[in-house]
Structure formats: C-alpha cells, structure tokens
Amino acid sequence: MIILKMALRELTTHKKRSIITFLLSAFSTALLIFVAAISEGTHTQLIQSSVETYPGYIQVRDAKFEDDPSFENLIFNESEVKDKVTKTTGIKAVSSRFETFALYSSDKLTVGGMFCAIEPESEAKVSRLKNALVEGEYLSSSDTNALYIGNELAKRLDLKIGDSVSFISTAADYSFAADNLIVKGIFRTKLYEFDNSSAFVNKAYFDVLMHSSDIATHIIATPEDISKIDTVSETLKQNLSNTLEVRNYKQILEDFIVAMEIDGIFSYITLGIFFIVIFFVIAIFAFLSVYGRVRQIGVLRAIGTTPSQVMGMLLFEALLLGLLSVSVGGVASGYATHYYEKNPIELTSIGDMEMEDYYKQYNMVAETTLPTQFDLASIFTQMFIMLLLNLLTVLYPIAMINRFTPIEAIRYV
Amino acid sequence: MKTVSLLLLFCLSLWAISAQEIVEKVEHNLQSENGYSKITMSVTTSRGERTMKMESWNRGNEKSFIRILYPKSDMGITFLKIDTTMWQYVPKIEKTIKIPASMMMQNWMGSDFTNDDMAKESSIVDDYIPTLSSEDSTKYTLTLIPKQDAPVVWGKIVMEVQKENYVPLRAIYYDEDAKEQRTLYYSEIKVIGSRYLPTVMTLIPSQKEKNKTVVTMDEVDFESRIDDAMFTKNALIRFSR
C-alpha cells in the first residue's frame, strides 16, 4: 500500500513528466487502434463489396464449368438442387442464375457482353444488384423482355430508359435466340468492367426464349452467419451430388483475398515500425526520468527501502500512468472508430487521381469511403499491447538503478 | 563442298515451292471464284443432335452469303461477309447486326465452326506459310504457320493431303500455345467440274470428344454466275424471305 502511495505521490509531484509520458502513450494507443481499425474496415469493405456486388457468398455450379463453361456443363436439375440448397442448415437466401454471352445491338452499335437471367426477388437477397439501381426500375418476376443494364454498357450503346435494344445469342439447346428488349433499369455497381459488360433479364422470360427451363449455370446462396461459411459450404458439399462444385467467397475471390491479407500484413509492418519508434521514444523518456531520480532512490534505499520495493514503486508508477493513458487513448479512439464506422471518411481522390479511376485500373469495386471497423476485442487487445509496452519501457532503467548501492546512488551526479 | 551446299539449298527451295503448290491446289479444290452450295449441318453434343440446312453463295474468299433454311425457327436468318466484315439479319427482330471482328472466333449458330470458318475469312494460301513436313506414297503432310500480319487465330495447322487429287484428308488446328484445338476430317470426294471436292466435313473439337459437327454439301454449283446484288447489305433482308 505504501508503495502505491509513494508511486501516486511521485506522479503528482512531477506533473510535467507525468503529463508528457501520459500524452505520448495515450496518443500512440489511439493512433494504433484507429489506424488498425481503418485498415481492417477498408479490407472488410472491399471484400464485402466484391462479394456482394455480384459473385455472392456461396456458388454452386457444375464441377466442370470452370474448365469448360459451355452448355454441356450446366445444372440441369436446377429446381432439385436449389431445393436442397435452400433446406441446408445455415442458409438464409438462395437464387438461380443463367449466365451466357450475347451480342447487343442498338441503333448505333453492336457490342458483346454478359447476358444473364436472374430471379429478381431472390437475387435481391444474394447480391447488391437491386441496390445498384440508378435509373428506372429493377426487374420483377412478371417481366418479359425488360432489360436491367449496366450504366457503362448503356452508355456505349447509347441507351436510355424505355429504349429498345436487340440481342442475339445461343440458346441452351444450341438453337439461335434473338429478341428485342426494352431498357427497364440502369444499374451502377461501381465495378467498372461489370457495369461495362453486363445486362440482366427475368429468368422466367429467359427460360422460354433460351430453352433453359430447370437449367442454371449457378445457384447462389447466402449463409445466415458469414463467420460460419466454411462449415455451411462443407455441409452443402455433402448434401449435393459430387458432379456439382460448391465454392465460397474465399475460393471465388481467392487471389483478391490473399492480396488483401498481404496488404494487411504490410499495414501492420508499417505500424510496427512506427511503434518501435514510439516505443523507443517512451523508453528513452522513461530511462531519463528514472535516472533523474537516482539520488532520490539512493536516499530511499538508505532509509531502508529494499530494491524490490523500489522496483514495485517504479512499476506501479508505470502501471498507473499506462492504465490511465491507454484507457484514455482507447476510449478516444474507440469512440472515433465507432463514429467513422457509421460515418466513413470520404476519399474521392488521391492526389490528382480520382478514386474511381484508381480502382478501375485494378478492376475493383470503386469505394470512395474509408470506413473503420469497430471491434471491441481488437481494441482491448491493442490497449493491452500498449500497456505491456509501457511496463517494458521501465524494466531496463529499474534494473540499472537497482545496481547502485545507496551510497553510490546518493553521490550520483 | 560449296556445290553440295548449293545443291542442298536448291533441293530445299524445290520442297518449299512444292508445299506452296500443294496448298494452292488444295485451295483450288476447296474454293471457287463463284460458288453455290446447299448444305446440311448436324451438330452433335453430349446433350443431343441438331440439324440445320442452309444455302451458301461465295465469290472467292472475299464475299460470301448464307441463308438458313431449316429449322423453321431459324429460317430466313442471313449472313453476309465482305472482306473482313460480317453482318447478320435476323427476321424475328427485323434487324441487321454487324458482327464485331472480335466475335469472328465465336461459335457459329451453336456449332463447332466459328464465324470465321463460315465466312471463309482466312485463306491457307494467302495467310499461311506452308512447309512439307513429310510424305508417303499416298499423302503429303503439311505444316501451315501463319504469316506475320495475317488475320488468323490459329498458331499452326497440320494438314494431310491426298497425293492423288490434292484433297485434304484432315487438318489439325493448334492454338498459339501449340495446343491441339480441333480436327477437321474431309470425306466423300466428288468431282465437280475441274475440282475434287470433299462433300462431307466433320469437325471434332479436341477438348470435347462427344461433340462433332458434320457438314454435308447436298448440292454444289461452281459454274453458275452469281449476281453482284447477292453481296450487298440489302440482300440480307431481300433474300431472307
């Protein structure tokens, strides 16, 4: 108890020294938590956007489709497979798609692009296609020749809402398919290549025209709990025929996710270097503060204070200051993290380059915000690390100061 | 030594000329200045078989016109190719669509043939450098490598040609990575005027063993004159009916 009292007295007596140590530590804690939260938040946002924009969390398709995406490798019992997927424990939403290629021809131009049939209502639960609407209306299950087209593709074909555009394609039975479509809605997902090459129609209409009844290229599923996606995917694999392939977003976007992880590692390395510098600043400051008290500690030792009591007193000082600064830094950055998670920082350009152009060159969803990720466990972990660093900084000066005999310490200049 | 080298070079040049002559004779058999044919195309996939019938007119390699006669749902679809440009008229949507050059290697009407095959855009004489790889008593084996700026997508074609009449027996197509892509077999040779024409061609894609497309020429006429009006965009609609 006496040690605690001595430590408290010491802190209050040397206010200037205490405030500087407190500020250094609190600022470092706040910065560590906030930068880590931005890094995590941005990565999570990019992965979520890439998954939810169109690919979906879980894809079911024919096992040979990846190597040979032809009409021989489709899901030919779509309703049966879809039913099994729907009944799988842990699945929240399911929707079927038929993706193929078509030539779109307006009055001005003919261009090739992805022609995809979706089930409008259920598609809205597995992707952000509906939310990407910028003009007109989203598709409905009663639509016939209504087209939901990417804004960049619409721009290339010079199409507006209500305009007519023809398509020619090959039907699922390899016969010739063509029709005139009316633009019902225009979407913008911020994924430039996707917006520049994709258009969607209602699957019920598509199935009649393309002879694709009960056929799909993909069945997309969303799990109830994303964190359990590996378990859900494994259960699905066991429930379905081995001629089908089940892939979750970690496999679908494997390269992208690895790139994000590598980027995350580099962020932490950068932060690590930054904190080594901060650690040494605090350590030097702690060393100078402790060494500035050699004579005082010599007097304490001379009146009977043991080296372990000296160590306890100095550790208590560091602990008290550390707890206070880490708590203040943690609370401040926790609040900021929470605030910027709800109100992400807007970043529309880097230098002269627009963010959209920056993302376009990497074919990534052009997100112009930097959200933080509010994660209490992560915040407490980082606070604990900072507290530990604070204690570590005083260990060396304590060890050094305890080497002095009381007489040496009192005579120390 | 110098004389032997010169003799060797002379022999090699004779071989090169031979290979060129062979492909010219092959092209003479397969291509005509004016040609009309009625064709049946059967497409077999692992999911079944489909048959199409069509008429085709061509003027050399530069111009060709195709009209679909069967099945009924596709009847009246017409194709026109002039040089490197291809158009398609689709009666159902009453529209003439220009097929982008980038689409020339897309499958034609769900068959294993490409738009380029149907339009006969490339020529084995003009676009490839032939070399005689080997020969036996009945056939030559030629290797055709595309010329530097030739508008072709194949990296190599290996063609076997009958010595007797310069009719190809089969042609194996490789992509730019030297991976075998498809084999085209020629059979049912008929003499049409001064030409030996294989009237059945069977195309088998290398990666899909269950698939094949068989083209049978039911009628061929190399003699009649074809009206220039056939090779205009107006003809796409006019001859569609």
Side-chain angles (χ1 to χ4, degrees):
Chain A
M1 200 60 191
I2 185 106
I3 294 170
L4 180 62
K5 273 184 186 170
M6 284 167 72
L8 269 173
R9 194 185 301 148
E10 187 60 36
L11 288 177
T12 48
T13 312
H14 299 94
K15 284 194 184 97
K16 202 172 166 186
R17 194 171 65 201
S18 304
I19 288 169
I20 291 172
T21 313
F22 166 82
L23 284 177
L24 260 175
S25 173
F27 177 73
S28 307
T29 308
L31 201 65
L32 171 68
I33 292 170
F34 192 71
V35 173
I38 282 193
S39 173
E40 286 298 319
T42 311
H43 288 162
T44 305
Q45 175 181 255
L46 280 172
I47 290 170
Q48 255 179 9
S49 303
S50 304
V51 172
E52 291 172 8
T53 292
Y54 184 66
Y57 282 99
I58 298 173
Q59 285 186 359
V60 178
R61 60 182 188 180
D62 188 275
K64 294 179 191 161
F65 191 79
E66 182 162 18
D67 294 333
D68 176 20
S70 69
F71 289 164
E72 269 122 273
N73 300 319
L74 305 174
I75 302 169
F76 291 106
N77 51 345
E78 178 243 341
S79 51
E80 187 191 325
V81 176
K82 193 176 164 191
D83 192 44
K84 280 184 183 172
V85 176
T86 309
K87 285 177 180 162
T88 301
T89 314
I91 293 291
K92 187 168 74 177
V94 182
S95 192
S96 300
R97 292 175 184 161
F98 193 117
E99 288 176 6
T100 188
F101 176 84
L103 274 182
Y104 296 100
S105 179
S106 64
D107 293 335
K108 296 197 171 175
L109 195 68
T110 298
V111 295
M114 185 175 83
F115 184 46
C116 184
I118 52 170
E119 298 169 320
E121 276 81 28
S122 55
E123 179 66 36
K125 294 173 187 163
V126 298
S127 77
R128 294 183 188 170
L129 264 186
K130 186 181 180 182
N131 300 337
L133 176 81
V134 286
E135 218 182 321
E137 285 175 60
Y138 179 62
L139 296 171
S140 79
S141 53
S142 58
D143 279 335
T144 52
N145 61 337
L147 188 71
Y148 189 55
I149 187 169
N151 68 326
E152 296 294 338
L153 181 59
K155 212 183 285 176
R156 276 204 290 162
L157 289 161
D158 196 20
L159 294 173
K160 295 183 290 297
I161 299 297
D163 284 354
S164 173
V165 57
S166 308
F167 85 89
I168 58 171
S169 186
T170 304
D173 64 349
Y174 293 101
S175 62
F176 184 81
D179 205 356
N180 290 319
L181 304 164
I182 303 296
V183 177
K184 185 182 181 185
I186 295 175
F187 65 83
R188 180 173 176 268
T189 62
K190 297 183 190 171
L191 186 58
Y192 178 81
E193 270 311 312
F194 186 74
D195 296 340
N196 193 33
S197 62
S198 315
F200 297 83
V201 291
N202 173 25
K203 193 165 186 301
Y205 156 78
F206 181 96
D207 286 347
V208 175
L209 194 74
M210 304 287 276
H211 308 287
S212 57
S213 186
D214 207 24
I215 302 176
T217 54
H218 299 78
I219 290 174
I220 310 298
T222 303
E224 284 165 358
D225 183 353
I226 309 297
S227 64
K228 291 179 183 160
I229 197 160
D230 292 328
T231 319
V232 176
S233 310
E234 201 47 51
T235 314
L236 253 184
K237 267 182 204 169
Q238 285 159 10
N239 288 355
L240 300 175
S241 147
N242 57 10
T243 59
L244 296 171
E245 180 187 40
V246 178
R247 301 190 311 159
N248 65 39
Y249 78 96
K250 294 175 190 171
Q251 288 124 24
I252 300 166
L253 300 171
E254 193 180 359
D255 293 345
F256 180 68
I257 288 170
V258 169
M260 287 292 109
E261 281 169 357
I262 292 171
D263 188 58
I265 290 168
F266 277 109
S267 299
Y268 277 107
I269 290 174
T270 312
L271 266 182
I273 294 168
F274 175 72
F275 280 95
I276 286 170
V277 174
I278 293 283
F279 173 77
F280 278 107
V281 169
I282 297 176
I284 291 165
F285 192 74
F287 188 83
L288 292 174
S289 327
V290 173
Y291 256 67
R293 294 159 60 189
V294 173
R295 292 178 71 185
Q296 177 201 351
I297 286 163
V299 172
L300 284 173
R301 290 280 306 279
I303 59 170
T305 312
T306 63
S308 58
Q309 282 174 321
V310 170
M311 185 178 184
M313 183 188 76
L314 291 173
L315 272 176
F316 256 120
E317 283 177 27
L319 183 69
L320 286 171
L321 257 183
L323 270 175
L324 190 67
S325 58
V326 160
S327 302
V328 170
V331 168
S333 62
Y335 174 77
T337 303
H338 188 260
Y339 176 82
Y340 287 112
E341 185 185 52
K342 304 287 174 206
N343 310 283
I345 299 161
E346 283 286 338
L347 187 70
T348 51
S349 61
I350 303 174
D352 292 337
M353 185 181 256
E354 291 294 317
M355 282 304 279
E356 294 209 3
D357 295 332
Y358 173 79
Y359 283 116
K360 200 192 286 182
Q361 62 185 336
Y362 297 108
N363 195 26
M364 287 163 70
V365 180
E367 294 289 1
T368 54
T369 56
L370 293 178
T372 50
Q373 185 164 301
F374 181 73
D375 178 7
L376 270 178
S378 168
I379 291 174
F380 279 122
T381 308
Q382 281 144 7
M383 284 167 71
F384 179 72
I385 291 170
M386 283 307 294
L387 182 64
L388 213 60
L389 282 179
N390 268 291
L391 293 178
L392 281 176
T393 56
V394 291
L395 284 183
Y396 178 70
I398 290 172
M400 292 300 289
I401 213 163
N402 271 340
R403 283 186 188 173
F404 288 102
T405 61
I407 300 297
E408 283 171 342
I410 290 167
R411 287 181 178 167
Y412 186 79
V413 181
Chain B
M1 189 63 194
K2 200 173 175 182
T3 320
V4 174
S5 303
L6 281 171
L7 196 63
L8 194 66
L9 271 174
F10 178 70
C11 290
L12 281 171
S13 67
L14 273 183
W15 263 43
I17 290 165
S18 275
Q20 187 63 31
E21 275 178 355
I22 294 165
V23 290
E24 279 169 10
K25 286 181 177 178
V26 169
E27 186 136 297
H28 170 77
N29 277 328
L30 299 180
Q31 287 282 345
S32 62
E33 199 47 46
N34 281 295
Y36 165 80
S37 52
K38 224 172 195 177
I39 296 165
T40 301
M41 181 183 273
S42 298
V43 182
T44 308
T45 65
S46 57
R47 295 173 50 208
E49 191 179 329
R50 208 163 60 85
T51 301
M52 283 181 287
K53 290 180 184 292
M54 66 201 84
E55 289 178 293
S56 167
W57 292 261
N58 75 284
R59 179 159 294 161
N61 270 349
E62 293 76 35
K63 294 175 181 177
S64 65
F65 188 95
I66 297 169
R67 174 166 65 187
I68 307 292
L69 303 172
Y70 178 87
K72 202 177 170 189
S73 57
D74 297 344
M75 193 167 76
I77 295 174
T78 49
F79 295 86
L80 169 69
K81 178 253 168 180
I82 300 174
D83 296 325
T84 54
T85 313
M86 194 171 177
W87 292 268
Q88 173 177 16
Y89 175 72
V90 186
K92 186 185 173 188
I93 55 173
E94 296 181 334
K95 205 163 199 174
T96 300
I97 293 171
K98 185 180 171 188
I99 296 176
S102 57
M103 300 290 132
M104 291 307 278
M105 289 313 290
Q106 290 287 319
N107 288 0
W108 186 81
M109 299 286 286
S111 73
D112 296 305
F113 285 95
T114 61
N115 288 325
D116 179 79
D117 292 322
M118 301 312 291
K120 295 183 180 69
E121 185 180 307
S122 52
S123 149
I124 56 169
V125 172
D126 298 335
D127 298 327
Y128 291 89
I129 300 165
T131 23
L132 186 57
S133 309
S134 65
E135 68 172 288
D136 59 24
S137 56
T138 57
K139 63 177 191 294
Y140 300 108
T141 302
L142 300 170
T143 302
L144 305 169
I145 304 292
K147 289 179 181 170
Q148 191 99 40
D149 301 318
V152 295
V153 293
W154 303 114
K156 183 174 81 172
I157 302 172
V158 174
M159 184 181 273
E160 290 175 2
V161 180
Q162 271 188 355
K163 274 187 165 175
E164 182 191 352
N165 47 24
Y166 295 98
V167 170
L169 293 167
R170 65 170 185 167
I172 307 167
Y173 293 78
Y174 297 83
D175 64 15
E176 286 173 338
D177 300 322
K179 192 176 172 191
E180 189 182 310
Q181 291 297 313
R182 63 183 201 177
T183 304
L184 183 58
Y185 295 90
Y186 299 84
S187 57
E188 300 294 325
I189 299 158
K190 287 182 183 167
V191 180
I192 314 278
S194 64
R195 300 165 200 279
Y196 293 87
L197 186 73
T199 56
V200 176
M201 287 182 276
T202 307
L203 184 65
I204 300 178
S206 306
Q207 323 301 334
K208 296 176 189 173
E209 287 167 2
K210 288 178 185 167
N211 285 27
K212 71 173 176 182
T213 300
V214 180
V215 172
T216 308
M217 291 188 188
D218 303 316
E219 258 182 73
V220 182
D221 179 0
F222 288 150
E223 306 303 326
S224 302
R225 196 182 175 286
I226 300 166
D227 193 342
D228 284 345
M230 178 62 82
F231 303 109
T232 60
K233 275 175 75 178
N234 288 339
L236 281 165
I237 301 171
R238 191 148 38 99
F239 290 100
S240 164
R241 297 179 192 108

